[in-house]
Amino acid sequence: MKGVSKFIWLAIILASIATAFPFFRDVYLANQYGVTEIPHYISKQWQSLSYIFVILKNVAAASWLFWLASKDNVSKLVWVLFGLFFGLIAVALYYLVRLNSKDET
């Protein structure tokens, strides 16, 4: 469990940031521009920054899955790609699949 704890903390921190960032972004933009319309390019820049945090969360999940798949000698590429697309859901599915395969043996 000690080896997984760093991935768990990284995932928790990045998931928290990715969840809270849109709220703080909107508060900042409302404070900065008030009731006037936000320029399109500024809105797109902040939206891109929000996407970066979501992507970082998925990269953390993919690295966690890479570490787990290496330890269990299963297909690393499949699990890493799954983690990049689905994030923490892929980690949960990995544990469910591994629990099911251990019960069958």
Side-chain angles (χ1 to χ4, degrees):
M1 186 69 178
K2 186 172 176 112
V4 173
S5 65
K6 61 183 172 186
F7 293 110
I8 292 172
W9 280 110
L10 180 64
I12 288 171
I13 291 169
L14 289 175
S16 300
I17 291 171
T19 303
F21 186 78
F23 172 74
F24 292 115
R25 174 196 67 202
D26 292 344
V27 168
Y28 171 76
L29 290 174
N31 186 29
Q32 197 71 15
Y33 293 98
V35 293
T36 62
E37 189 172 321
I38 300 169
H40 183 69
Y41 70 93
I42 291 178
S43 175
K44 288 299 178 187
Q45 286 175 348
W46 281 95
Q47 189 176 20
S48 299
L49 194 57
S50 297
Y51 291 145
I52 288 171
F53 282 115
V54 171
I55 290 169
L56 285 175
K57 179 183 67 160
N58 288 357
V59 167
S63 64
W64 186 356
L65 287 169
F66 179 81
W67 184 78
L68 288 172
S70 297
K71 193 175 83 166
D72 292 335
N73 292 325
V74 294
S75 177
K76 292 179 265 209
L77 179 63
V78 172
W79 284 107
V80 167
L81 289 175
F82 196 53
L84 283 174
F85 287 110
F86 296 104
L88 295 175
I89 294 172
V91 175
L93 285 175
Y94 179 84
Y95 279 112
L96 289 174
V97 167
R98 297 305 296 167
L99 283 175
N100 189 33
S101 67
K102 287 180 182 178
D103 287 343
E104 290 177 358
T105 57

